[in-house]
Amino acid sequence: MSKLWVLVGESSRATLYAMATKTGPLQALECYENADGRQHERALTSDLPGQAFDGKAKGQHALANAGKKDKAAQDFAKSLCAVLEKGRLDGRYDQLVLCASPAFLGQLRQQLNATTDKCVIATIDKNLVKAASEEIQDHVRDALFH
């Protein structure tokens, strides 16, 4: 099987590619969706209480409801990292390239375990989820050879 995997992702979706060689074409292996990552924050928190008065008559305060979308993105990153870990353990790749927006790339790097992190040979801090495979391939080659 291929020894180089490329994960291209954002908080709402990701695609895992394989390359037989560093100069070979990308082959899509799997697509992943995070439905919660596409929803607006208010849709994720609509069942939570909104505001409350404090006991000292100093006004209303927003109750804690922030971060549901961030939590959904972290959970998605964690699930993607589990896929990467399983692929490494199964010997499906030796080297890994991560490509994501800077914020999601940081979440992915936080969720990777130390052994899988050592397989990362390049990172591309750009959201290329909607890009054609040829464009992604060009970015990967640039990252690997420059």
Side-chain angles (χ1 to χ4, degrees):
M1 197 79 203
S2 176
K3 294 297 180 183
L4 175 66
W5 274 9
V6 178
L7 180 68
V8 179
E10 64 179 11
S11 63
S12 63
R13 60 185 157 213
T15 303
L16 184 61
Y17 296 94
M19 294 176 74
T21 66
K22 290 181 180 180
T23 58
L26 284 175
Q27 174 189 3
L29 296 177
E30 191 77 37
C31 294
Y32 304 92
E33 295 280 330
N34 177 20
D36 288 344
R38 291 180 176 216
Q39 293 187 18
H40 293 286
E41 184 78 26
R42 67 179 174 269
L44 294 171
T45 60
S46 63
D47 61 338
L48 297 175
Q51 294 186 349
F53 287 96
D54 65 12
K56 298 179 181 153
K58 293 190 179 185
Q60 287 184 326
H61 300 281
L63 298 176
N65 65 357
K68 291 289 185 181
K69 195 164 185 171
D70 287 339
K71 175 76 168 108
Q74 288 174 352
D75 290 346
F76 187 50
K78 187 174 185 176
S79 69
L80 291 173
C81 288
V83 169
L84 296 175
E85 173 69 5
K86 182 171 180 353
R88 184 187 62 76
L89 290 172
D90 291 346
R92 295 185 63 202
Y93 72 91
D94 296 320
Q95 298 176 318
L96 180 62
V97 175
L98 299 177
C99 178
S101 65
F104 194 64
L105 183 59
Q107 290 175 332
L108 286 169
R109 295 304 296 254
Q110 285 180 336
Q111 297 295 331
L112 282 177
N113 72 29
T115 308
T116 303
D117 190 50
K118 288 180 184 176
C119 295
V120 177
I121 59 170
T123 57
I124 302 166
D125 61 349
K126 190 173 222 175
N127 188 347
L128 296 174
V129 169
K130 294 180 183 177
S133 62
E134 293 82 14
E135 183 181 351
I136 296 168
Q137 189 170 310
D138 289 343
H139 282 280
V140 169
R141 286 184 182 151
D142 285 346
L144 292 176
F145 297 110
H146 292 106

